Amino acid sequence: MTSCFEVFGLKKVINASGKMTALGASSVSEEVAFALKEAAQGYVEMDELIKFAGTIIASRTGAEDGCPTASASAGIAIATAATITGTNLSLIERMPQSAGLKNEVIIQKGQLVHYGANIGQMIRLGGGKVMEVGAANKVEKEHIEDTITDQTAALFYVKSHHAVQKGMQPIDVMVDLAAKYHIPLIIDAAAEQDFQHYIKMGADIVVYSGAKALAGPTSGFLCGKRNWMAACRAQYKGIGRAMKVGKESVAGLIAALQQQTSHEKTLEEQREQMSVMCEALNKLTGLACSLHMDEAGRTICRAQIKVQEEAGITAAQLQEKLEKGNPAIYLRHHYANVGLLYVDPRPLLPGDEAIIVKEITKILQEGK
């Protein structure tokens, strides 16, 4: 089946990298696609739609309330602004110019990451003054506590595979400090799969992507304490206007949140699919393929492809050739410099894995 992108004259893309914004994040279910179509062809009072979406977000996450956003990145900026301004319209209209206000946002150094954009920039867009603490691979509780002042607006925690996975203070420490000093804790859980975990832990605001684990349209959502969600919605009279979420995205997000069963592949299905791929790739000289669980603890089973010297090509070169082909094939390449590429089964469409094996085989044969 020819996609609309191919009709536009763009080449076919096979996404074996993951729920990546650069590749359009997710393919949505028929139910979500129907909601997008219906919303695009009708009208609604946006304030009412946003409030209604908040009730659906709350029911799915166990939070007191919720707020839809254009993306998780927009959610970071909006959540930050909310902790600085509350619902005060005069302050909302000042953002991101927050000089003289309680505007400091404390984040551990190993979590101030780049995910396609810099998290610090998203905080600054919301008026936050970034206060990074500790070292890239070691943060003590004292580093955080010593940085808290009467100018601290929020504590910020990043739960992501991009963040340093060792030496950081855990969430429960952040929750305790937030409670002790009566400071809101924002958790960026953009790609996480459990939409209730961090609310149960005591976070005040949690940021999620609607287009990653949820497999909804390009969107994001916030969940948390009722007062903070009211302040987040109020930002649509300020910086949120430039990040406004459309009726189609909200409708699609609601549909994705309401789906009783996920159309995502189970862990068992992922293992089976990747085992078949590994069996085929292990027949090729210079490749060693095995199953590998997600490094951040999510229920994702990827195929790890180790490109050895006998292949006559490096992992980076193989990656480049795959991406320049037609179809363009994008593997997960965070560790290409040490010879490792990964195939994420979640975004693969039917037949994609066979095409990947075929194209890799062709590239290796051409190099001989």
Side-chain angles (χ1 to χ4, degrees):
M1 180 178 176
T2 302
S3 73
C4 66
F5 303 117
E6 291 173 88
V7 173
F8 296 157
L10 303 173
K11 63 182 177 181
K12 177 181 174 68
V13 168
I14 292 178
N15 177 10
S17 181
K19 302 299 185 74
M20 309 297 289
T21 299
L23 299 177
S26 293
S27 61
V28 303
S29 67
E30 289 296 330
E31 293 84 356
V32 172
F34 179 77
L36 290 165
K37 175 181 178 296
E38 289 288 296
Q41 295 178 325
Y43 299 96
V44 68
E45 291 185 2
M46 287 302 299
D47 285 349
E48 291 302 305
L49 178 62
I50 287 172
K51 288 179 182 177
F52 175 70
T55 66
I56 302 301
I57 292 167
S59 68
R60 179 70 184 269
T61 63
E64 293 177 5
D65 201 355
C67 177
T69 62
S71 63
S73 291
I76 293 171
I78 287 172
T80 299
T83 64
I84 297 170
T85 71
T87 57
N88 185 310
L89 182 59
S90 295
L91 297 183
I92 288 168
E93 291 178 343
R94 278 183 55 181
M95 294 301 102
Q97 301 297 328
S98 62
L101 301 176
K102 183 187 290 189
N103 65 356
E104 294 179 357
V105 178
I106 298 173
I107 183 171
Q108 299 182 67
K109 191 176 184 69
Q111 295 180 356
L112 193 61
V113 296
H114 195 285
Y115 58 93
N118 189 296
I119 278 185
Q121 184 178 22
M122 299 305 111
I123 293 172
R124 291 191 294 273
L125 280 173
K129 180 180 179 181
V130 177
M131 307 293 290
E132 59 179 276
V133 298
N137 64 342
K138 185 65 175 177
V139 178
E140 300 287 358
K141 179 181 177 181
E142 289 76 12
H143 288 134
I144 302 168
E145 197 159 17
D146 291 346
T147 309
I148 295 174
T149 70
D150 58 5
Q151 291 301 107
T152 304
L155 303 182
F156 198 99
Y157 187 94
V158 179
K159 177 62 179 174
S160 168
H161 66 278
H162 292 293
V164 173
Q165 300 297 318
K166 63 177 183 178
M168 299 298 103
Q169 289 297 304
I171 293 174
D172 55 357
V173 169
M174 300 293 279
V175 169
D176 289 345
L177 288 174
K180 179 179 178 180
Y181 291 96
H182 306 289
I183 300 167
L185 170 62
I186 303 170
I187 296 182
D188 172 14
E192 292 299 293
Q193 298 167 310
D194 190 332
F195 301 126
Q196 298 188 1
H197 181 65
Y198 304 107
I199 290 296
K200 289 177 180 177
M201 289 190 73
D204 296 280
I205 303 174
V206 187
V207 183
Y208 288 102
S209 168
K212 292 189 176 177
L214 187 64
T218 300
S219 59
F221 62 96
L222 302 166
C223 59
K225 302 290 176 58
R226 188 172 289 106
N227 62 317
W228 294 122
M229 292 302 100
C232 287
R233 285 194 297 272
Q235 303 307 313
Y236 283 119
K237 295 179 180 178
I239 62 163
R241 180 70 179 187
M243 314 168 188
K244 63 184 179 184
V245 59
K247 59 185 179 180
E248 304 89 348
S249 292
V250 179
L253 175 64
I254 290 171
L257 288 164
Q258 288 181 321
Q259 283 186 182
Q260 295 300 308
T261 57
S262 173
H263 75 292
E264 293 286 280
K265 296 164 185 169
T266 66
L267 185 59
E268 291 71 24
E269 290 170 334
Q270 294 177 42
R271 282 199 181 106
E272 182 178 354
Q273 189 177 22
M274 292 298 93
S275 293
V276 172
M277 171 174 279
C278 282
E279 184 178 352
L281 290 177
N282 279 328
K283 295 177 181 177
L284 302 177
T285 301
L287 298 186
C289 190
S290 59
L291 303 186
H292 185 82
M293 292 301 296
D294 178 65
E295 65 270 27
R298 294 171 294 175
T299 53
I300 307 170
C301 181
R302 301 185 181 95
Q304 181 192 79
I305 305 170
K306 185 174 183 179
V307 183
Q308 302 167 320
E309 187 176 348
E310 293 79 5
I313 191 173
T314 67
Q317 289 169 335
L318 176 58
Q319 167 208 334
E320 183 180 10
K321 286 180 179 292
L322 287 169
E323 291 180 5
K324 288 185 175 179
N326 193 2
I329 299 173
Y330 286 82
L331 304 186
R332 196 173 185 86
H333 57 263
H334 298 82
Y335 299 102
N337 62 312
V338 292
L340 299 177
L341 297 171
Y342 293 84
V343 174
D344 191 321
R346 296 173 301 157
L348 293 181
L349 301 177
D352 280 353
E353 63 268 34
I355 298 174
I356 294 170
V357 171
K358 176 184 175 183
E359 292 301 312
I360 290 177
T361 302
K362 185 171 74 172
I363 290 169
L364 295 184
Q365 290 177 343
E366 287 173 348
K368 295 187 181 301

